[in-house]
Amino acid sequence: MKWIGRRQSENTEDQRGFSKGKAAIGGGIIGIIILLIQVFGGESAQQLTPALQQLQQNQGTEQPTQELTPEQKELGEFASTVQADTEDVWKKIFQENNLTYENPKMVLFTNTVETACGSANAASGPFYCPGDQKVYMDLAFFEELKTRFGAQGGDFAIAYVIAHEVGHHVQTLLGTSAKVRKLQEGLSEAEANKLSVALELQADFYAGLWARYDQELNKMLEAGDIEEALSAANAVGDDAIQTKLQGHVVPDSFTHGTSEQRMYWFNKGFNSGDIKQGDTFKNLE
């Protein structure tokens, strides 16, 4: 992705190197369970595993403040540039639909972070908290995505994840998330999960839509970028994760969609360039 020299967001809070608290043990069984529940976590994920998170935090040790390496600083600058791109794109899309876009903030953290949705740690994966309208990113997650789940890697995989989480912010602004929470009340777990899947797939659609607009605005795509995003989407499908970690799939437990669905909706957003085609609730099987 072509990004060097372009605007960085003023709404990025880089807390890396300043994190204090318990270190996450992401390689243990607790970390795997939390990752299964929270990977690309959606806005309600932080409310699902407080007991597991507390147990995992209690297993850690205090972390001293550390100086960021040049590579870490560059990664933070990249993430902030992508955040700026999402601001420009969604401002344009909202204006085209006679709406006003409100920028979220993005928090980069290491080990642990406090949010309006509760405490989170490195095993949580990237997530969006509607309570404070912030995207939370532990950038070390992307090495885990590549080594444990077989994603291709590359900078545009990171851009896709940021755009996906910003997609949840868009859903909050449009009222979609609140409607889904209301509809989930009183439903069985399997039926409520179907709505969660639709919400996540729409965030994937929004990520693809962002990529289409960003390319038109900034000509930022390089060869292989879309393939990197699709590889990440493929790696975090519910079926792919469950197959890798437990050897079989349980469709009623899906909360994010299959690999095929996630790639399909990202591609649809990118190819259509039309926000009105992102009704994942109508088309979800």
Side-chain angles (χ1 to χ4, degrees):
M1 177 177 172
K2 301 173 185 175
W3 65 274
I4 295 176
R6 292 200 285 111
R7 180 178 77 88
Q8 295 180 30
S9 174
E10 297 178 353
N11 296 301
T12 303
E13 301 175 10
D14 196 343
Q15 298 182 11
R16 298 173 303 161
F18 298 95
S19 297
K20 296 180 181 180
K22 306 292 184 179
I25 306 179
I29 186 63
I30 297 173
I32 293 175
I33 295 171
I34 293 175
L35 186 63
L36 267 172
I37 297 174
Q38 293 187 328
V39 65
F40 291 15
E43 61 173 54
S44 62
Q46 298 312 304
Q47 301 170 4
L48 299 178
T49 55
L52 287 173
Q53 289 179 330
Q54 186 62 47
L55 177 59
Q56 189 176 46
Q57 289 172 2
N58 290 340
Q59 291 177 334
T61 57
E62 296 293 332
Q63 296 296 297
T65 300
Q66 295 181 349
E67 179 76 19
L68 295 178
T69 66
E71 292 78 12
Q72 289 172 324
K73 291 178 181 178
E74 182 178 52
L75 191 56
E77 292 169 357
F78 169 76
S80 186
T81 302
V82 173
Q83 174 75 352
D85 284 3
T86 68
E87 293 168 354
D88 295 341
V89 164
W90 283 108
K91 179 180 178 181
K92 178 176 175 60
I93 294 174
F94 270 52
Q95 285 177 341
E96 291 174 351
N97 291 274
N98 299 313
L99 299 169
T100 301
Y101 184 65
E102 301 172 14
N103 294 328
K105 291 188 180 295
M106 180 171 64
V107 178
L108 306 179
F109 72 96
T110 303
N111 297 324
T112 62
V113 67
E114 295 297 323
T115 84
C117 298
S119 299
N121 58 34
S124 300
F127 64 94
Y128 171 77
C129 173
D132 52 25
Q133 296 195 0
K134 293 181 179 181
V135 171
Y136 289 89
M137 304 281 295
D138 184 336
L139 296 175
F141 165 80
F142 295 98
E143 187 62 28
E144 182 96 344
L145 187 64
K146 183 169 61 175
T147 58
R148 180 180 290 181
F149 294 99
Q152 183 175 324
D155 57 7
F156 204 74
I158 300 175
Y160 154 65
V161 176
I162 294 173
H164 172 98
E165 299 306 335
V166 171
H168 287 305
H169 177 65
V170 172
Q171 291 169 327
T172 296
L173 296 181
L174 295 178
T176 309
S177 300
K179 291 178 182 178
V180 167
R181 287 195 299 270
K182 186 69 175 176
L183 288 171
Q184 287 175 321
E185 294 178 2
L187 292 179
S188 67
E189 182 178 355
E191 291 301 313
N193 284 345
K194 290 181 181 179
L195 290 172
S196 294
V197 167
L199 201 66
E200 294 296 332
L201 295 180
Q202 189 177 66
D204 282 330
F205 173 87
Y206 287 158
L209 184 65
W210 161 78
R212 169 67 173 266
Y213 270 75
D214 202 15
Q215 173 65 4
E216 293 175 354
L217 289 172
N218 296 306
K219 307 299 181 187
M220 50 77 186
L221 288 176
E222 296 180 303
D225 279 348
I226 296 300
E227 288 75 14
E228 289 175 6
L230 291 173
S231 176
N234 180 70
V236 294
D238 285 321
D239 53 342
I241 292 176
Q242 290 187 1
T243 297
K244 182 171 287 291
L245 295 183
Q246 63 190 34
H248 64 279
V249 300
V250 184
D252 282 348
S253 70
F254 289 176
T255 57
H256 291 70
T258 65
S259 296
E260 182 180 1
Q261 287 173 319
R262 300 197 71 165
M263 291 188 292
Y264 171 83
W265 282 104
F266 176 88
N267 263 329
K268 185 167 184 177
F270 182 75
N271 292 325
S272 72
D274 180 6
I275 192 173
K276 294 181 176 63
Q277 295 193 34
D279 186 354
T280 54
F281 299 90
K282 180 178 67 176
N283 293 284
L284 188 64
E285 295 181 359

